[in-house]
PDB file of all heavy atoms in Angstrom:
ATOM      1  N   GLN A   1     -23.737  -5.488  11.720  1.00  0.00           N
ATOM      2  CA  GLN A   1     -23.715  -4.116  11.214  1.00  0.00           C
ATOM      3  C   GLN A   1     -22.392  -3.435  11.528  1.00  0.00           C
ATOM      4  O   GLN A   1     -21.835  -2.724  10.694  1.00  0.00           O
ATOM      5  CB  GLN A   1     -24.881  -3.311  11.787  1.00  0.00           C
ATOM      6  CG  GLN A   1     -26.206  -3.692  11.196  1.00  0.00           C
ATOM      7  CD  GLN A   1     -27.374  -2.980  11.862  1.00  0.00           C
ATOM      8  OE1 GLN A   1     -27.288  -2.518  12.990  1.00  0.00           O
ATOM      9  NE2 GLN A   1     -28.495  -2.907  11.149  1.00  0.00           N
ATOM     10  N   ALA A   2     -21.892  -3.650  12.732  1.00  0.00           N
ATOM     11  CA  ALA A   2     -20.617  -3.050  13.123  1.00  0.00           C
ATOM     12  C   ALA A   2     -19.487  -3.597  12.255  1.00  0.00           C
ATOM     13  O   ALA A   2     -18.618  -2.844  11.795  1.00  0.00           O
ATOM     14  CB  ALA A   2     -20.332  -3.318  14.600  1.00  0.00           C
ATOM     15  N   PHE A   3     -19.512  -4.903  12.020  1.00  0.00           N
ATOM     16  CA  PHE A   3     -18.474  -5.512  11.193  1.00  0.00           C
ATOM     17  C   PHE A   3     -18.552  -5.003   9.758  1.00  0.00           C
ATOM     18  O   PHE A   3     -17.530  -4.687   9.143  1.00  0.00           O
ATOM     19  CB  PHE A   3     -18.595  -7.040  11.224  1.00  0.00           C
ATOM     20  CG  PHE A   3     -17.550  -7.719  10.395  1.00  0.00           C
ATOM     21  CD1 PHE A   3     -16.242  -7.797  10.839  1.00  0.00           C
ATOM     22  CD2 PHE A   3     -17.868  -8.258   9.160  1.00  0.00           C
ATOM     23  CE1 PHE A   3     -15.265  -8.406  10.068  1.00  0.00           C
ATOM     24  CE2 PHE A   3     -16.906  -8.874   8.389  1.00  0.00           C
ATOM     25  CZ  PHE A   3     -15.596  -8.951   8.841  1.00  0.00           C
ATOM     26  N   GLN A   4     -19.771  -4.901   9.219  1.00  0.00           N
ATOM     27  CA  GLN A   4     -19.937  -4.417   7.853  1.00  0.00           C
ATOM     28  C   GLN A   4     -19.489  -2.961   7.726  1.00  0.00           C
ATOM     29  O   GLN A   4     -18.905  -2.583   6.701  1.00  0.00           O
ATOM     30  CB  GLN A   4     -21.383  -4.581   7.398  1.00  0.00           C
ATOM     31  CG  GLN A   4     -21.742  -6.021   7.115  1.00  0.00           C
ATOM     32  CD  GLN A   4     -23.210  -6.223   6.795  1.00  0.00           C
ATOM     33  OE1 GLN A   4     -24.047  -5.368   7.066  1.00  0.00           O
ATOM     34  NE2 GLN A   4     -23.533  -7.377   6.221  1.00  0.00           N
ATOM     35  N   ALA A   5     -19.719  -2.158   8.741  1.00  0.00           N
ATOM     36  CA  ALA A   5     -19.257  -0.767   8.719  1.00  0.00           C
ATOM     37  C   ALA A   5     -17.737  -0.721   8.689  1.00  0.00           C
ATOM     38  O   ALA A   5     -17.138   0.079   7.959  1.00  0.00           O
ATOM     39  CB  ALA A   5     -19.797  -0.015   9.930  1.00  0.00           C
ATOM     40  N   ALA A   6     -17.097  -1.589   9.466  1.00  0.00           N
ATOM     41  CA  ALA A   6     -15.630  -1.651   9.472  1.00  0.00           C
ATOM     42  C   ALA A   6     -15.113  -2.103   8.115  1.00  0.00           C
ATOM     43  O   ALA A   6     -14.132  -1.553   7.594  1.00  0.00           O
ATOM     44  CB  ALA A   6     -15.147  -2.598  10.569  1.00  0.00           C
ATOM     45  N   GLN A   7     -15.763  -3.087   7.547  1.00  0.00           N
ATOM     46  CA  GLN A   7     -15.374  -3.599   6.233  1.00  0.00           C
ATOM     47  C   GLN A   7     -15.483  -2.488   5.182  1.00  0.00           C
ATOM     48  O   GLN A   7     -14.576  -2.295   4.374  1.00  0.00           O
ATOM     49  CB  GLN A   7     -16.317  -4.746   5.883  1.00  0.00           C
ATOM     50  CG  GLN A   7     -15.741  -5.861   5.121  1.00  0.00           C
ATOM     51  CD  GLN A   7     -16.715  -7.036   5.030  1.00  0.00           C
ATOM     52  OE1 GLN A   7     -17.929  -6.899   5.227  1.00  0.00           O
ATOM     53  NE2 GLN A   7     -16.178  -8.199   4.743  1.00  0.00           N
ATOM     54  N   GLN A   8     -16.593  -1.768   5.211  1.00  0.00           N
ATOM     55  CA  GLN A   8     -16.817  -0.692   4.248  1.00  0.00           C
ATOM     56  C   GLN A   8     -15.790   0.429   4.434  1.00  0.00           C
ATOM     57  O   GLN A   8     -15.258   0.949   3.455  1.00  0.00           O
ATOM     58  CB  GLN A   8     -18.227  -0.135   4.392  1.00  0.00           C
ATOM     59  CG  GLN A   8     -18.538   0.964   3.402  1.00  0.00           C
ATOM     60  CD  GLN A   8     -19.961   1.477   3.547  1.00  0.00           C
ATOM     61  OE1 GLN A   8     -20.703   1.080   4.444  1.00  0.00           O
ATOM     62  NE2 GLN A   8     -20.349   2.366   2.668  1.00  0.00           N
ATOM     63  N   ALA A   9     -15.489   0.772   5.661  1.00  0.00           N
ATOM     64  CA  ALA A   9     -14.505   1.821   5.922  1.00  0.00           C
ATOM     65  C   ALA A   9     -13.130   1.408   5.397  1.00  0.00           C
ATOM     66  O   ALA A   9     -12.398   2.225   4.836  1.00  0.00           O
ATOM     67  CB  ALA A   9     -14.428   2.124   7.422  1.00  0.00           C
ATOM     68  N   PHE A  10     -12.802   0.139   5.560  1.00  0.00           N
ATOM     69  CA  PHE A  10     -11.518  -0.353   5.071  1.00  0.00           C
ATOM     70  C   PHE A  10     -11.452  -0.298   3.549  1.00  0.00           C
ATOM     71  O   PHE A  10     -10.442   0.119   2.975  1.00  0.00           O
ATOM     72  CB  PHE A  10     -11.265  -1.774   5.573  1.00  0.00           C
ATOM     73  CG  PHE A  10      -9.923  -2.300   5.176  1.00  0.00           C
ATOM     74  CD1 PHE A  10      -8.783  -1.888   5.837  1.00  0.00           C
ATOM     75  CD2 PHE A  10      -9.790  -3.192   4.126  1.00  0.00           C
ATOM     76  CE1 PHE A  10      -7.530  -2.352   5.461  1.00  0.00           C
ATOM     77  CE2 PHE A  10      -8.557  -3.660   3.741  1.00  0.00           C
ATOM     78  CZ  PHE A  10      -7.415  -3.239   4.414  1.00  0.00           C
ATOM     79  N   VAL A  11     -12.528  -0.686   2.894  1.00  0.00           N
ATOM     80  CA  VAL A  11     -12.576  -0.657   1.426  1.00  0.00           C
ATOM     81  C   VAL A  11     -12.454   0.789   0.922  1.00  0.00           C
ATOM     82  O   VAL A  11     -11.732   1.067  -0.035  1.00  0.00           O
ATOM     83  CB  VAL A  11     -13.864  -1.323   0.903  1.00  0.00           C
ATOM     84  CG1 VAL A  11     -14.085  -1.047  -0.571  1.00  0.00           C
ATOM     85  CG2 VAL A  11     -13.813  -2.827   1.153  1.00  0.00           C
ATOM     86  N   GLN A  12     -13.128   1.719   1.581  1.00  0.00           N
ATOM     87  CA  GLN A  12     -13.044   3.127   1.185  1.00  0.00           C
ATOM     88  C   GLN A  12     -11.624   3.650   1.360  1.00  0.00           C
ATOM     89  O   GLN A  12     -11.129   4.410   0.528  1.00  0.00           O
ATOM     90  CB  GLN A  12     -14.026   3.974   1.994  1.00  0.00           C
ATOM     91  CG  GLN A  12     -15.458   3.742   1.604  1.00  0.00           C
ATOM     92  CD  GLN A  12     -16.445   4.478   2.490  1.00  0.00           C
ATOM     93  OE1 GLN A  12     -16.231   4.664   3.687  1.00  0.00           O
ATOM     94  NE2 GLN A  12     -17.553   4.880   1.902  1.00  0.00           N
ATOM     95  N   LEU A  13     -10.970   3.220   2.416  1.00  0.00           N
ATOM     96  CA  LEU A  13      -9.579   3.620   2.632  1.00  0.00           C
ATOM     97  C   LEU A  13      -8.694   3.070   1.521  1.00  0.00           C
ATOM     98  O   LEU A  13      -7.874   3.800   0.957  1.00  0.00           O
ATOM     99  CB  LEU A  13      -9.085   3.134   3.985  1.00  0.00           C
ATOM    100  CG  LEU A  13      -7.587   3.252   4.239  1.00  0.00           C
ATOM    101  CD1 LEU A  13      -7.127   4.704   4.169  1.00  0.00           C
ATOM    102  CD2 LEU A  13      -7.218   2.623   5.569  1.00  0.00           C
ATOM    103  N   GLU A  14      -8.870   1.805   1.199  1.00  0.00           N
ATOM    104  CA  GLU A  14      -8.071   1.201   0.126  1.00  0.00           C
ATOM    105  C   GLU A  14      -8.286   1.932  -1.198  1.00  0.00           C
ATOM    106  O   GLU A  14      -7.333   2.183  -1.928  1.00  0.00           O
ATOM    107  CB  GLU A  14      -8.425  -0.273  -0.054  1.00  0.00           C
ATOM    108  CG  GLU A  14      -7.802  -1.185   0.947  1.00  0.00           C
ATOM    109  CD  GLU A  14      -8.047  -2.646   0.608  1.00  0.00           C
ATOM    110  OE1 GLU A  14      -9.166  -2.992   0.190  1.00  0.00           O
ATOM    111  OE2 GLU A  14      -7.106  -3.437   0.765  1.00  0.00           O
ATOM    112  N   ASP A  15      -9.530   2.275  -1.491  1.00  0.00           N
ATOM    113  CA  ASP A  15      -9.836   3.000  -2.729  1.00  0.00           C
ATOM    114  C   ASP A  15      -9.122   4.350  -2.759  1.00  0.00           C
ATOM    115  O   ASP A  15      -8.509   4.712  -3.768  1.00  0.00           O
ATOM    116  CB  ASP A  15     -11.342   3.208  -2.891  1.00  0.00           C
ATOM    117  CG  ASP A  15     -12.082   1.934  -3.241  1.00  0.00           C
ATOM    118  OD1 ASP A  15     -11.426   0.946  -3.638  1.00  0.00           O
ATOM    119  OD2 ASP A  15     -13.324   1.933  -3.116  1.00  0.00           O
ATOM    120  N   ALA A  16      -9.210   5.080  -1.668  1.00  0.00           N
ATOM    121  CA  ALA A  16      -8.565   6.394  -1.597  1.00  0.00           C
ATOM    122  C   ALA A  16      -7.050   6.247  -1.736  1.00  0.00           C
ATOM    123  O   ALA A  16      -6.399   7.029  -2.438  1.00  0.00           O
ATOM    124  CB  ALA A  16      -8.920   7.092  -0.287  1.00  0.00           C
ATOM    125  N   TYR A  17      -6.492   5.232  -1.084  1.00  0.00           N
ATOM    126  CA  TYR A  17      -5.044   5.017  -1.136  1.00  0.00           C
ATOM    127  C   TYR A  17      -4.594   4.656  -2.550  1.00  0.00           C
ATOM    128  O   TYR A  17      -3.565   5.142  -3.030  1.00  0.00           O
ATOM    129  CB  TYR A  17      -4.652   3.907  -0.152  1.00  0.00           C
ATOM    130  CG  TYR A  17      -3.166   3.681  -0.087  1.00  0.00           C
ATOM    131  CD1 TYR A  17      -2.343   4.552   0.617  1.00  0.00           C
ATOM    132  CD2 TYR A  17      -2.575   2.591  -0.734  1.00  0.00           C
ATOM    133  CE1 TYR A  17      -0.970   4.348   0.674  1.00  0.00           C
ATOM    134  CE2 TYR A  17      -1.213   2.388  -0.684  1.00  0.00           C
ATOM    135  CZ  TYR A  17      -0.416   3.270   0.026  1.00  0.00           C
ATOM    136  OH  TYR A  17       0.941   3.073   0.074  1.00  0.00           O
ATOM    137  N   GLN A  18      -5.357   3.832  -3.245  1.00  0.00           N
ATOM    138  CA  GLN A  18      -4.998   3.419  -4.593  1.00  0.00           C
ATOM    139  C   GLN A  18      -5.101   4.562  -5.592  1.00  0.00           C
ATOM    140  O   GLN A  18      -4.468   4.522  -6.642  1.00  0.00           O
ATOM    141  CB  GLN A  18      -5.862   2.240  -5.031  1.00  0.00           C
ATOM    142  CG  GLN A  18      -5.524   0.966  -4.293  1.00  0.00           C
ATOM    143  CD  GLN A  18      -6.466  -0.173  -4.607  1.00  0.00           C
ATOM    144  OE1 GLN A  18      -7.427  -0.025  -5.342  1.00  0.00           O
ATOM    145  NE2 GLN A  18      -6.203  -1.329  -4.021  1.00  0.00           N
ATOM    146  N   GLN A  19      -5.877   5.574  -5.272  1.00  0.00           N
ATOM    147  CA  GLN A  19      -6.030   6.717  -6.162  1.00  0.00           C
ATOM    148  C   GLN A  19      -4.941   7.771  -5.975  1.00  0.00           C
ATOM    149  O   GLN A  19      -4.884   8.739  -6.736  1.00  0.00           O
ATOM    150  CB  GLN A  19      -7.409   7.350  -5.969  1.00  0.00           C
ATOM    151  CG  GLN A  19      -8.527   6.464  -6.457  1.00  0.00           C
ATOM    152  CD  GLN A  19      -9.891   7.074  -6.214  1.00  0.00           C
ATOM    153  OE1 GLN A  19     -10.035   8.246  -5.918  1.00  0.00           O
ATOM    154  NE2 GLN A  19     -10.927   6.266  -6.352  1.00  0.00           N
ATOM    155  N   LEU A  20      -4.074   7.573  -4.983  1.00  0.00           N
ATOM    156  CA  LEU A  20      -2.976   8.527  -4.790  1.00  0.00           C
ATOM    157  C   LEU A  20      -2.086   8.563  -6.031  1.00  0.00           C
ATOM    158  O   LEU A  20      -1.685   7.523  -6.540  1.00  0.00           O
ATOM    159  CB  LEU A  20      -2.119   8.131  -3.590  1.00  0.00           C
ATOM    160  CG  LEU A  20      -2.616   8.514  -2.211  1.00  0.00           C
ATOM    161  CD1 LEU A  20      -1.663   7.988  -1.146  1.00  0.00           C
ATOM    162  CD2 LEU A  20      -2.787  10.003  -2.065  1.00  0.00           C
ATOM    163  N   ASP A  21      -1.808   9.762  -6.485  1.00  0.00           N
ATOM    164  CA  ASP A  21      -0.949   9.959  -7.651  1.00  0.00           C
ATOM    165  C   ASP A  21      -0.020  11.128  -7.359  1.00  0.00           C
ATOM    166  O   ASP A  21      -0.446  12.280  -7.362  1.00  0.00           O
ATOM    167  CB  ASP A  21      -1.795  10.237  -8.894  1.00  0.00           C
ATOM    168  CG  ASP A  21      -0.968  10.478 -10.139  1.00  0.00           C
ATOM    169  OD1 ASP A  21       0.277  10.310 -10.101  1.00  0.00           O
ATOM    170  OD2 ASP A  21      -1.568  10.837 -11.165  1.00  0.00           O
ATOM    171  N   GLU A  22       1.232  10.810  -7.082  1.00  0.00           N
ATOM    172  CA  GLU A  22       2.206  11.849  -6.725  1.00  0.00           C
ATOM    173  C   GLU A  22       2.380  12.894  -7.819  1.00  0.00           C
ATOM    174  O   GLU A  22       2.805  14.009  -7.544  1.00  0.00           O
ATOM    175  CB  GLU A  22       3.551  11.216  -6.384  1.00  0.00           C
ATOM    176  CG  GLU A  22       3.531  10.405  -5.113  1.00  0.00           C
ATOM    177  CD  GLU A  22       4.883   9.784  -4.799  1.00  0.00           C
ATOM    178  OE1 GLU A  22       5.894  10.186  -5.412  1.00  0.00           O
ATOM    179  OE2 GLU A  22       4.924   8.894  -3.939  1.00  0.00           O
ATOM    180  N   GLN A  23       2.061  12.563  -9.048  1.00  0.00           N
ATOM    181  CA  GLN A  23       2.212  13.485 -10.167  1.00  0.00           C
ATOM    182  C   GLN A  23       0.998  14.401 -10.343  1.00  0.00           C
ATOM    183  O   GLN A  23       1.047  15.364 -11.103  1.00  0.00           O
ATOM    184  CB  GLN A  23       2.437  12.699 -11.467  1.00  0.00           C
ATOM    185  CG  GLN A  23       3.605  11.733 -11.404  1.00  0.00           C
ATOM    186  CD  GLN A  23       4.918  12.417 -11.046  1.00  0.00           C
ATOM    187  OE1 GLN A  23       5.212  13.493 -11.554  1.00  0.00           O
ATOM    188  NE2 GLN A  23       5.679  11.807 -10.164  1.00  0.00           N
ATOM    189  N   SER A  24      -0.070  14.096  -9.637  1.00  0.00           N
ATOM    190  CA  SER A  24      -1.309  14.852  -9.773  1.00  0.00           C
ATOM    191  C   SER A  24      -1.223  16.194  -9.057  1.00  0.00           C
ATOM    192  O   SER A  24      -0.654  16.284  -7.967  1.00  0.00           O
ATOM    193  CB  SER A  24      -2.472  14.049  -9.194  1.00  0.00           C
ATOM    194  OG  SER A  24      -3.647  14.838  -9.153  1.00  0.00           O
ATOM    195  N   PRO A  25      -1.794  17.240  -9.647  1.00  0.00           N
ATOM    196  CA  PRO A  25      -1.844  18.524  -8.945  1.00  0.00           C
ATOM    197  C   PRO A  25      -2.744  18.454  -7.702  1.00  0.00           C
ATOM    198  O   PRO A  25      -2.642  19.297  -6.821  1.00  0.00           O
ATOM    199  CB  PRO A  25      -2.431  19.489  -9.980  1.00  0.00           C
ATOM    200  CG  PRO A  25      -2.976  18.662 -11.081  1.00  0.00           C
ATOM    201  CD  PRO A  25      -2.349  17.312 -10.990  1.00  0.00           C
ATOM    202  N   ASP A  26      -3.585  17.433  -7.621  1.00  0.00           N
ATOM    203  CA  ASP A  26      -4.463  17.245  -6.468  1.00  0.00           C
ATOM    204  C   ASP A  26      -3.863  16.317  -5.412  1.00  0.00           C
ATOM    205  O   ASP A  26      -4.575  15.861  -4.516  1.00  0.00           O
ATOM    206  CB  ASP A  26      -5.799  16.649  -6.923  1.00  0.00           C
ATOM    207  CG  ASP A  26      -6.631  17.613  -7.733  1.00  0.00           C
ATOM    208  OD1 ASP A  26      -6.458  18.835  -7.558  1.00  0.00           O
ATOM    209  OD2 ASP A  26      -7.450  17.146  -8.550  1.00  0.00           O
ATOM    210  N   TYR A  27      -2.571  16.047  -5.492  1.00  0.00           N
ATOM    211  CA  TYR A  27      -1.935  15.088  -4.594  1.00  0.00           C
ATOM    212  C   TYR A  27      -2.144  15.466  -3.125  1.00  0.00           C
ATOM    213  O   TYR A  27      -2.420  14.599  -2.291  1.00  0.00           O
ATOM    214  CB  TYR A  27      -0.448  14.951  -4.900  1.00  0.00           C
ATOM    215  CG  TYR A  27       0.249  13.928  -4.039  1.00  0.00           C
ATOM    216  CD1 TYR A  27      -0.022  12.580  -4.193  1.00  0.00           C
ATOM    217  CD2 TYR A  27       1.172  14.312  -3.073  1.00  0.00           C
ATOM    218  CE1 TYR A  27       0.604  11.627  -3.406  1.00  0.00           C
ATOM    219  CE2 TYR A  27       1.808  13.369  -2.279  1.00  0.00           C
ATOM    220  CZ  TYR A  27       1.520  12.026  -2.452  1.00  0.00           C
ATOM    221  OH  TYR A  27       2.139  11.084  -1.672  1.00  0.00           O
ATOM    222  N   GLY A  28      -2.043  16.735  -2.803  1.00  0.00           N
ATOM    223  CA  GLY A  28      -2.241  17.173  -1.419  1.00  0.00           C
ATOM    224  C   GLY A  28      -3.647  16.859  -0.943  1.00  0.00           C
ATOM    225  O   GLY A  28      -3.849  16.364   0.177  1.00  0.00           O
ATOM    226  N   HIS A  29      -4.615  17.123  -1.792  1.00  0.00           N
ATOM    227  CA  HIS A  29      -6.009  16.821  -1.448  1.00  0.00           C
ATOM    228  C   HIS A  29      -6.216  15.311  -1.323  1.00  0.00           C
ATOM    229  O   HIS A  29      -6.907  14.844  -0.412  1.00  0.00           O
ATOM    230  CB  HIS A  29      -6.952  17.403  -2.509  1.00  0.00           C
ATOM    231  CG  HIS A  29      -8.385  17.086  -2.282  1.00  0.00           C
ATOM    232  ND1 HIS A  29      -9.122  17.648  -1.269  1.00  0.00           N
ATOM    233  CD2 HIS A  29      -9.230  16.235  -2.927  1.00  0.00           C
ATOM    234  CE1 HIS A  29     -10.355  17.161  -1.301  1.00  0.00           C
ATOM    235  NE2 HIS A  29     -10.441  16.301  -2.310  1.00  0.00           N
TER     236      HIS A  29
END
């Protein structure tokens, strides 16, 4: 369970990072 939580947290981080768009008005958020 601990490992799966770490795996999930890493995937969520990757998703958030890949959605970064410097041209977006929501870039700060």
Side-chain angles (χ1 to χ4, degrees):
Q1 287 175 338
F3 180 75
Q4 287 174 343
Q7 215 171 19
Q8 181 179 5
F10 184 77
V11 168
Q12 288 174 326
L13 169 61
E14 281 187 319
D15 288 345
Y17 183 77
Q18 290 174 357
Q19 291 178 14
L20 279 178
D21 179 7
E22 292 180 14
Q23 305 303 317
S24 172
D26 291 334
Y27 182 69
H29 177 71

